[in-house]
Amino acid sequence: DLDWLREGLADMFITNFSRSKQLNVLSRQQLYHLIERGGHSQTDTIRLDDALEIARKTRAEVIALGSYVRLGEKIRIDVQLHSAQNGQPLASESIVADQPQDILAQVDLLSFKLAAHMGAAPEVEESRTKLDGLMTINLEAYRYYSLAVEKAQALHNEEAIALLEKAVALDPQFAMAYGRIGYAYAVTGTHAERSKPYLEKAFLLSNHLTEKDRLYITAWYSIAHLDYPAAIAPLRKIINQYPLEAEAYFRMGYLLRGERQHEEAVRVLKQGLVIDPEDKDIYNALGLIYLDINRYDEAIAAHQRYVELAPKEPNAHDSLGMSYQCARALPRGHHGIQPGARAQPAIWHRCLPPW
């Protein structure tokens, strides 16, 4: 079953291109969100017109579109590079893997060729570190990892962790799989203690990580230890070195809020919106920070935008209702909560007068 390669191949190329200091590459998570906002699922075929729209929103310069086909045991992979400005073809390359186990090595070769077409041929040091050295030599382990990332993006943490455990069982040297388990426990989950052994294992295998992944894992490890200033430092480096990483802006904004550095948090989140003007999570975070510093009109505006971007999410309506409540300006007929949704009493209480 090679259906997972629809997302898995994209992840492989993103990892490879990210090694070059001359390229800024959209992360798989950002790409997933942009495709979803365009009304597509991850299993849909993305046409050039759709890709051009994504490129316009992210100010990308080059688009890579590809396909694969299985012919017996062989797998052929074709990739075309297009100008993001007008869609004109820039280059195309293809490879044939004689068997599925050869895919990782062949994707390495194809990535180097494509990077050269983009004027980013790898330096000698970069070319020595291949995908199977950065991630895994085991294609089945990579399959579990790719499926786990998909589950994690949908916030299905338990399923993601189960798949990642299978990945590290097949390849005990799979550093990023350990890192992702730690992330699921400590960052998107609430089990910081459980995360620590996995993040420590990822550190021990840091020679199998890209520089960006090392920085992320450093931040996650600090979050697991509740050392938020230490977590902010690597996120700041990610923003400086990889400015398209919307996740870093969002995470850093929340951490700065926790450290009561509200003005810097606002500045960082606004930078994130320059990168991704439709990031609903950043608008929610921005609105909450404005509430903290009593800038109610701006909080309402941010949460109104959150509702516009995510009209079916109960939390969006909760956030907007909370902003109105804090501003003592709850509009008639708007209670901020959709049917079936539950507000968080502790959060609402701080906005109510002490009667």
Side-chain angles (χ1 to χ4, degrees), residues 66-101:
S67 61
Y68 71 94
V69 62
R70 184 166 189 168
L71 304 169
E73 279 297 301
K74 296 184 178 182
I75 297 97
R76 178 186 172 97
I77 301 171
D78 296 276
V79 181
Q80 302 83 39
L81 299 180
H82 296 265
S83 166
Q85 185 175 8
N86 53 28
Q88 290 297 310
L90 300 175
S92 64
E93 294 285 352
S94 64
I95 55 96
V96 175
D98 290 331
Q99 53 188 347
Q101 289 78 4

Side-chain angles (χ1 to χ4, degrees), residues 197-217:
Y198 293 100
L199 294 170
E200 288 165 2
K201 182 70 172 180
F203 273 129
L204 290 174
L205 299 168
S206 61
N207 59 313
H208 292 273
L209 297 168
T210 65
E211 174 62 19
K212 182 171 66 177
D213 288 340
R214 277 193 289 270
L215 289 169
Y216 267 124
I217 288 174

Side-chain angles (χ1 to χ4, degrees), residues 32-338:
Y32 168 82
H33 289 315
L34 289 164
I35 289 172
E36 187 180 49
R37 287 178 210 157
H40 301 285
S41 71
Q42 291 196 68
T43 58
D44 290 344
T45 298
I46 303 301
R47 301 173 303 172
L48 179 58
D49 287 347
D50 300 320
L52 286 170
E53 179 62 18
I54 291 173
R56 182 189 64 78
K57 291 179 178 179
T58 58
R59 303 178 185 178
E61 296 178 7
V62 178
I63 299 165
L65 291 175
S67 61
Y68 71 94
V69 62
R70 184 166 189 168
L71 304 169
E73 279 297 301
K74 296 184 178 182
I75 297 97
R76 178 186 172 97
I77 301 171
D78 296 276
V79 181
Q80 302 83 39
L81 299 180
H82 296 265
S83 166
Q85 185 175 8
N86 53 28
Q88 290 297 310
L90 300 175
S92 64
E93 294 285 352
S94 64
I95 55 96
V96 175
D98 290 331
Q99 53 188 347
Q101 289 78 4
D102 296 335
I103 288 176
L104 294 172
Q106 291 297 326
V107 167
D108 268 326
L109 177 61
L110 188 53
S111 298
F112 290 146
K113 290 181 177 180
L114 292 167
H117 285 302
M118 291 185 280
E123 298 174 3
V124 174
E125 190 64 29
E126 291 171 346
S127 65
R128 289 175 182 164
T129 310
K130 297 183 178 180
L131 180 64
D132 56 9
L134 283 173
M135 299 294 276
T136 178
I137 60 173
N138 188 307
L139 187 67
E140 185 69 1
Y142 204 114
R143 182 175 80 89
Y144 283 128
Y145 174 83
S146 181
L147 294 172
V149 171
E150 183 179 344
K151 293 294 184 183
Q153 287 168 343
L155 298 180
H156 297 156
N157 270 10
E158 291 185 5
E159 295 173 68
I161 289 170
L163 289 165
L164 290 165
E165 290 282 12
K166 291 181 179 180
V168 297
L170 288 169
D171 182 0
Q173 303 298 306
F174 199 163
M176 198 55 194
Y178 288 110
R180 285 285 179 187
I181 295 173
Y183 175 82
Y185 276 132
V187 182
T188 58
T190 57
H191 302 285
E193 285 301 318
R194 291 188 193 178
S195 75
K196 293 175 184 177
Y198 293 100
L199 294 170
E200 288 165 2
K201 182 70 172 180
F203 273 129
L204 290 174
L205 299 168
S206 61
N207 59 313
H208 292 273
L209 297 168
T210 65
E211 174 62 19
K212 182 171 66 177
D213 288 340
R214 277 193 289 270
L215 289 169
Y216 267 124
I217 288 174
T218 300
W220 301 342
Y221 188 71
S222 297
I223 290 171
H225 284 79
L226 306 181
D227 188 350
Y228 301 135
I232 289 169
L235 291 172
R236 199 185 302 278
K237 287 184 180 179
I238 291 172
I239 288 172
N240 289 335
Q241 296 176 27
Y242 309 95
L244 296 181
E245 285 291 308
E247 162 74 10
Y249 295 94
F250 167 73
R251 196 64 58 192
M252 184 174 168
Y254 256 120
L255 292 173
L256 287 167
R257 180 195 181 203
E259 293 299 298
R260 305 190 67 78
Q261 298 179 39
H262 295 104
E263 293 301 330
E264 186 179 2
V266 167
R267 181 182 60 79
V268 167
L269 291 172
K270 283 186 173 181
Q271 285 180 335
L273 289 176
V274 172
I275 301 301
D276 186 354
E278 297 182 357
D279 192 312
K280 60 184 177 63
D281 295 323
I282 290 182
Y283 275 108
N284 187 32
L286 192 57
L288 294 174
I289 292 168
Y290 282 139
L291 286 180
D292 289 343
I293 54 180
N294 303 324
R295 289 163 62 173
Y296 298 125
D297 288 345
E298 290 163 289
I300 290 169
H303 285 148
Q304 282 176 332
R305 184 61 177 144
Y306 180 24
V307 170
E308 290 170 4
L309 293 169
K312 295 182 180 180
E313 284 192 15
N315 190 62
H317 295 268
D318 287 352
S319 293
L320 180 57
M322 182 168 61
S323 289
Y324 279 127
Q325 183 79 359
C326 290
R328 309 294 192 270
L330 190 65
R332 187 175 182 180
H334 192 299
H335 302 290
I337 308 173
Q338 288 188 321

